[in-house]
Amino acid sequence: MFSLDDRRRILVTGGSGFLGSYLSEKLLEAGHEVLCLDNFFTGTRMNVEHLLDHKRFELLRHDVCQPLFVEVDEIYNLACPASPVHYQFDPVQTTKTSVLGAINMLGLAKRVKAKILQASTSEIYGDPQVHPQPEEYWGNVNPIGVRSCYDEGKRCAETLFYDYYRQNNINIRVMRIFNTYGPRMHPNDGRVVSNFIMQALMNKPITLYGDGMQTRSFCYRDDLVDGMIKLMNAPDHISMPINIGNPKEFTIKQLAELVLELTGSKSRIIREPLPQDDPLQRKPDITRARDYLGWRPTTELREGLGKTIQYFEQLLSKHGEAEAV
Ligand code: NAD
Ligand code: UDP
Ligand code: UDP
């Protein structure tokens, strides 16, 4: 049973984004206070509109690159654009967000003795030469390519987490998130799931990059956030990185075909060039998550896509094509 003694004041950076808004909702449901911080670069007020009247919810417009002085018990550090289109829009700002954001949030955690979780990423493995990827793998990342601002920014953030841990005894959690999809993804986000669904619903061509044989493993939002909260609440010795993702691997071509089937769309598939440094395969080894957190994903791609399609359909009927995208 939840008692008032269990209530914590929790900072969620990037809290009005796709994952942060759902996380904030779940933390409020669990009885906590949520301070949601966002600079609204890719997140929107619309994502947290339904929480604004909640008495334990507070929304703060702030950039994590700037210092922040608040009193909190826990920090979920999610602030950072996640889609290649968005993180490559202003790559210098992307690196700053990961690196300065981590420094400021770790400095805050140190001052107020808060527990802090970093939303890291499978991108720290780059274009992996080990498959599936276990946490022990150091990765294969191009340090000077167009994806580097994100990959190296997140790698440096991990470095900072482990140095603050060793140097200042900060209570850290590091979660390596693999491709996640679901309702509240930005319709114009540029990621494959939102692109394909929006294209299918608007009967526009489905843009398949390369030959479509590259693979990803798609995790549904609810499973992911469940793993995130489990990791934050795990015993303190679980400070090593943990992969959270769905180990079922699909080619991007299979994803396109599934979206066409589920939407009943007449869209045709067209080929576009594969972006630079696009990883050819990706699939998490989730042994640690299973053994240490008792976590595993339960939502099949078909089911999760169905719910995501419904969300985008509603968005289109509410706001129309021009405004939704
Ligand atoms: P998102 O773009 O919807 O959310 C990121 C949020 O951070 C947005 O609300 C954005 O406005 C905010 N933000 C960006 N820069 C900021 C700054 N300097 N200061 C304050 N706020 C800032 O993306 P998401 O999918 O919800 O991703 C959340 C986190 O999870 C990110 O850190 C991302 O790198 C990580 N992640 C996500 C995935 C995925 O597949 N969704 C995979 C791996 C890692
Ligand atoms: N910081 C912050 N909020 C706090 C405490 C620190 O934003 O409550 C920032 C601070 O501005 C600093 C960074 O976190 O730049 C790192 O803090 P730390 O104490 O590790 O380093 P120092 O202040 O010694 O540079
Ligand atoms: N992709 C695609 N068409 C699109 C968007 C993406 O074929 O309209 C491909 C992309 O090249 C990559 C995969 O889908 O191989 C996943 O891309 P996404 O941007 O969603 O995530 P990430 O590359 O960061 O895993």
Side-chain angles (χ1 to χ4, degrees), residues 4 19 28 58 120 144 169 222 251 280:
L4 282 183
L19 294 177
L28 286 172
E58 222 178 314
S120 189
I144 58 166
N169 210 17
D222 299 32
T251 66
L280 288 182

PDB file of all heavy atoms in Angstrom, residues 4 19 28 58 120 144 169 222 251 280:
ATOM      1  N   LEU A   4       1.819   8.151   2.540  1.00  0.00           N
ATOM      2  CA  LEU A   4       2.373   9.479   2.267  1.00  0.00           C
ATOM      3  C   LEU A   4       3.885   9.500   2.450  1.00  0.00           C
ATOM      4  O   LEU A   4       4.591  10.285   1.828  1.00  0.00           O
ATOM      5  CB  LEU A   4       1.711  10.533   3.153  1.00  0.00           C
ATOM      6  CG  LEU A   4       0.315  10.967   2.682  1.00  0.00           C
ATOM      7  CD1 LEU A   4      -0.238  12.059   3.560  1.00  0.00           C
ATOM      8  CD2 LEU A   4       0.345  11.426   1.215  1.00  0.00           C
ATOM      9  N   LEU A  19       8.106  10.145 -24.323  1.00  0.00           N
ATOM     10  CA  LEU A  19       8.246   9.238 -23.178  1.00  0.00           C
ATOM     11  C   LEU A  19       8.044   9.959 -21.848  1.00  0.00           C
ATOM     12  O   LEU A  19       7.428   9.435 -20.919  1.00  0.00           O
ATOM     13  CB  LEU A  19       9.628   8.564 -23.193  1.00  0.00           C
ATOM     14  CG  LEU A  19       9.880   7.605 -24.355  1.00  0.00           C
ATOM     15  CD1 LEU A  19      11.301   7.061 -24.316  1.00  0.00           C
ATOM     16  CD2 LEU A  19       8.875   6.449 -24.310  1.00  0.00           C
ATOM     17  N   LEU A  28       2.540  10.281 -11.350  1.00  0.00           N
ATOM     18  CA  LEU A  28       1.410  10.924 -10.644  1.00  0.00           C
ATOM     19  C   LEU A  28       0.425   9.854 -10.176  1.00  0.00           C
ATOM     20  O   LEU A  28      -0.033   9.876  -9.032  1.00  0.00           O
ATOM     21  CB  LEU A  28       0.694  11.911 -11.567  1.00  0.00           C
ATOM     22  CG  LEU A  28       1.416  13.232 -11.856  1.00  0.00           C
ATOM     23  CD1 LEU A  28       0.677  14.005 -12.938  1.00  0.00           C
ATOM     24  CD2 LEU A  28       1.561  14.085 -10.606  1.00  0.00           C
ATOM     25  N   GLU A  58       3.623  20.021 -11.771  1.00  0.00           N
ATOM     26  CA  GLU A  58       4.108  21.377 -12.048  1.00  0.00           C
ATOM     27  C   GLU A  58       4.901  21.342 -13.357  1.00  0.00           C
ATOM     28  O   GLU A  58       5.706  20.423 -13.563  1.00  0.00           O
ATOM     29  CB  GLU A  58       5.064  21.764 -10.919  1.00  0.00           C
ATOM     30  CG  GLU A  58       4.938  23.165 -10.406  1.00  0.00           C
ATOM     31  CD  GLU A  58       5.910  23.372  -9.251  1.00  0.00           C
ATOM     32  OE1 GLU A  58       5.994  22.511  -8.350  1.00  0.00           O
ATOM     33  OE2 GLU A  58       6.626  24.367  -9.293  1.00  0.00           O
ATOM     34  N   SER A 120      19.709   6.786 -21.476  1.00  0.00           N
ATOM     35  CA  SER A 120      20.736   6.584 -22.496  1.00  0.00           C
ATOM     36  C   SER A 120      20.095   5.834 -23.663  1.00  0.00           C
ATOM     37  O   SER A 120      18.870   5.725 -23.737  1.00  0.00           O
ATOM     38  CB  SER A 120      21.928   5.837 -21.900  1.00  0.00           C
ATOM     39  OG  SER A 120      22.988   5.826 -22.846  1.00  0.00           O
ATOM     40  N   ILE A 144      32.777  11.353 -35.795  1.00  0.00           N
ATOM     41  CA  ILE A 144      32.701  12.623 -36.543  1.00  0.00           C
ATOM     42  C   ILE A 144      31.591  12.645 -37.592  1.00  0.00           C
ATOM     43  O   ILE A 144      31.587  13.472 -38.490  1.00  0.00           O
ATOM     44  CB  ILE A 144      34.062  12.963 -37.210  1.00  0.00           C
ATOM     45  CG1 ILE A 144      34.498  11.839 -38.148  1.00  0.00           C
ATOM     46  CG2 ILE A 144      35.139  13.244 -36.167  1.00  0.00           C
ATOM     47  CD1 ILE A 144      35.640  12.229 -39.079  1.00  0.00           C
ATOM     48  N   ASN A 169      29.923   9.503  -5.237  1.00  0.00           N
ATOM     49  CA  ASN A 169      29.013   8.530  -4.644  1.00  0.00           C
ATOM     50  C   ASN A 169      27.534   8.822  -4.958  1.00  0.00           C
ATOM     51  O   ASN A 169      26.664   8.596  -4.111  1.00  0.00           O
ATOM     52  CB  ASN A 169      29.231   8.508  -3.131  1.00  0.00           C
ATOM     53  CG  ASN A 169      28.939   7.143  -2.575  1.00  0.00           C
ATOM     54  OD1 ASN A 169      28.880   6.169  -3.335  1.00  0.00           O
ATOM     55  ND2 ASN A 169      28.717   7.069  -1.266  1.00  0.00           N
ATOM     56  N   ASP A 222       4.495   1.695 -23.203  1.00  0.00           N
ATOM     57  CA  ASP A 222       4.070   1.316 -21.847  1.00  0.00           C
ATOM     58  C   ASP A 222       5.059   0.325 -21.231  1.00  0.00           C
ATOM     59  O   ASP A 222       5.371   0.407 -20.034  1.00  0.00           O
ATOM     60  CB  ASP A 222       2.666   0.696 -21.861  1.00  0.00           C
ATOM     61  CG  ASP A 222       1.628   1.668 -22.392  1.00  0.00           C
ATOM     62  OD1 ASP A 222       1.980   2.502 -23.255  1.00  0.00           O
ATOM     63  OD2 ASP A 222       0.473   1.601 -21.960  1.00  0.00           O
ATOM     64  N   THR A 251      12.812  -6.444 -39.945  1.00  0.00           N
ATOM     65  CA  THR A 251      13.411  -5.571 -40.962  1.00  0.00           C
ATOM     66  C   THR A 251      12.461  -4.379 -41.123  1.00  0.00           C
ATOM     67  O   THR A 251      11.253  -4.474 -40.836  1.00  0.00           O
ATOM     68  CB  THR A 251      13.573  -6.277 -42.332  1.00  0.00           C
ATOM     69  OG1 THR A 251      12.280  -6.553 -42.859  1.00  0.00           O
ATOM     70  CG2 THR A 251      14.387  -7.550 -42.213  1.00  0.00           C
ATOM     71  N   LEU A 280      22.945  -1.075 -39.352  1.00  0.00           N
ATOM     72  CA  LEU A 280      22.333  -2.113 -40.181  1.00  0.00           C
ATOM     73  C   LEU A 280      21.477  -3.076 -39.375  1.00  0.00           C
ATOM     74  O   LEU A 280      20.541  -3.673 -39.884  1.00  0.00           O
ATOM     75  CB  LEU A 280      23.425  -2.895 -40.920  1.00  0.00           C
ATOM     76  CG  LEU A 280      24.103  -2.119 -42.054  1.00  0.00           C
ATOM     77  CD1 LEU A 280      25.124  -2.975 -42.768  1.00  0.00           C
ATOM     78  CD2 LEU A 280      23.057  -1.605 -43.053  1.00  0.00           C
TER      79      LEU A 280
END
